[in-house]
Every structure is written in structure tokens, then in C-alpha cells.
Amino acid sequence: MKKIAVYPGSFDPITYGHIDLIKRAAAIFDQLIVAVVSNPQKKTLFNIEEREAMLKKATRDIPNVVIDDFSGLLIDYVRQKKARVIIRGLRAISDFEFEFQMALTNQRLAEDIETFFLTSNEKYAYFSSGIIKEIVKLGANVKYFVPLFVEKELNRKLKGK
Ligand code: PNS
């Protein structure tokens, strides 16, 4: 049976940290579905189409990666895709509380689905999409954190360039 994993998230926008994690997970599972959450309650800088387009561009050389979106409960989506594993990245201890809560809630809701935590390369272990958006607004160069095409999109959105 094909081993399918789902890597859910906001990806607003994708960073080198996400890309590193996608590569690591894709090397282990037969198929990795990167699932962008479509949540009208949560305000994002990029809309769902833009976030998916950037993910597709960044992962086009990895054949077993599929980009998709979902709304509603994550575990329902995971079941619908016939996957059994949720992938989440863990950076510092600060991530732990939220991730632990989410993993245990999902476990309570669906005993047959497991959450696997991966850590990215240490080069990427400290930044987030949120902090990148903040420093782009203030004029920083973010080439260490995101691919050039993402940096261009950030500048277009945040600075009208
Ligand atoms: O990248 P993020 O914003 O940390 O991802 C959070 C995400 C999308 C994985 C989480 O909010 C989620 O799973 N949302 C779907 C709704 C759901 O199932 N919530 C219960 C999870 S405990």
C-alpha cells in the first residue's frame, strides 16, 4: 500500500524552512500532499491560489509531491486522501506547546492518524513566515529565507514594487 503523508499549513508564504521539510518528508513517504489551509477567518497576506502557486513552483522538481488545499477539519481531509500521517515541523521549544496540543487533539479525534514531527536543517530552524513579512515591510533583504520569486511576490504585496 502506498504510504501517503499530509503536510498541512498556512504557507503564507513558503520559506526555505518549509521547502527543506518537504524534501525530507518526500524522501520517506511514497506521496507527500502539501495541504494549504483555506480558512476565511484567518487573515493571510497571500490568497489560497497565490500560496499554492508558490508552493508548486518551489516543489516542481520533486515528483512525489502534490500541492492541494483544504478547509474544515484536518483529520477529515487526511482520511479523504487515504493518508495516515500528518507532518509538522518543529523549530524551537516555543512551537512545542501549540504542536503538542494540536497533535493530541487530532489523536483524540482520529486514533488511526499519527502526527510525525520533523526538524529542518539548523540553518532554517529559527525563522517564520511571520517574521519574514515583518522585515520585508521594513526594507530587509530576505534572500536567506525565501526563494527569489517569493521575495519578489513579498515586495509586490507589501511595498507595491
Ligand atoms: O501553518 P500553521 O498556520 O501553523 O498551520 C495550522 C494548521 C493549518 C495545520 C491548523 O490550523 C489546522 O489543522 N487547521 C484545520 C482545522 C483543524 O482541523 N483544526 C484542529 C486541529 S487541532
Side-chain angles (χ1 to χ4, degrees):
M1 220 172 76
K2 242 169 74 163
K3 289 219 176 339
I4 305 170
V6 171
Y7 177 25
S10 303
F11 304 105
D12 186 41
I14 187 167
T15 69
Y16 280 135
H18 296 129
I19 297 170
D20 185 67
L21 230 69
I22 290 170
K23 286 183 183 155
R24 285 169 195 275
I28 293 168
F29 292 92
D30 297 318
Q31 186 180 64
L32 178 70
I33 303 171
V34 182
V36 187
V37 69
S38 168
N39 178 358
Q41 274 108 288
K42 191 169 168 185
K43 183 127 183 50
T44 53
L45 178 65
F46 294 100
N47 67 31
I48 192 85
E49 289 81 19
E50 292 168 325
R51 285 180 281 151
E52 281 191 64
M54 284 186 275
L55 272 161
K56 279 190 184 140
K57 199 164 172 178
T59 60
R60 63 182 165 202
D61 295 334
I62 318 172
N64 58 335
V65 170
V66 174
I67 310 300
D68 194 13
D69 53 76
F70 77 104
S71 55
L73 270 184
L74 174 61
I75 51 145
D76 289 343
Y77 175 78
V78 171
R79 282 219 176 98
Q80 183 203 324
K81 291 290 159 188
K82 305 208 176 337
R84 280 204 51 202
V85 172
I86 296 167
I87 302 284
R88 290 290 289 174
L90 264 188
R91 286 165 303 190
I93 298 170
S94 51
D95 278 345
F96 183 76
E97 199 168 334
F98 173 62
E99 294 300 333
F100 188 61
Q101 186 180 37
M102 202 158 66
L104 286 181
T105 307
N106 284 331
Q107 193 185 77
R108 173 56 66 207
L109 295 173
E111 279 291 341
D112 53 327
I113 295 171
E114 301 293 346
T115 301
F116 282 24
F117 292 107
L118 296 179
T119 48
S120 69
N121 184 289
E122 62 189 297
K123 285 190 287 196
Y124 313 122
Y126 62 95
F127 58 78
S128 65
S129 299
I131 217 156
I132 291 167
K133 283 180 278 196
E134 184 181 329
I135 63 174
V136 166
K137 263 191 234 162
L138 299 171
N141 179 317
V142 289
K143 69 174 183 203
Y144 295 112
F145 310 126
V146 296
L148 188 62
F149 72 89
V150 175
E151 184 175 8
K152 283 190 179 149
E153 290 297 310
L154 279 164
N155 279 322
R156 189 174 62 80
K157 280 265 177 189
L158 291 168
K159 296 162 76 185
K161 278 193 193 164

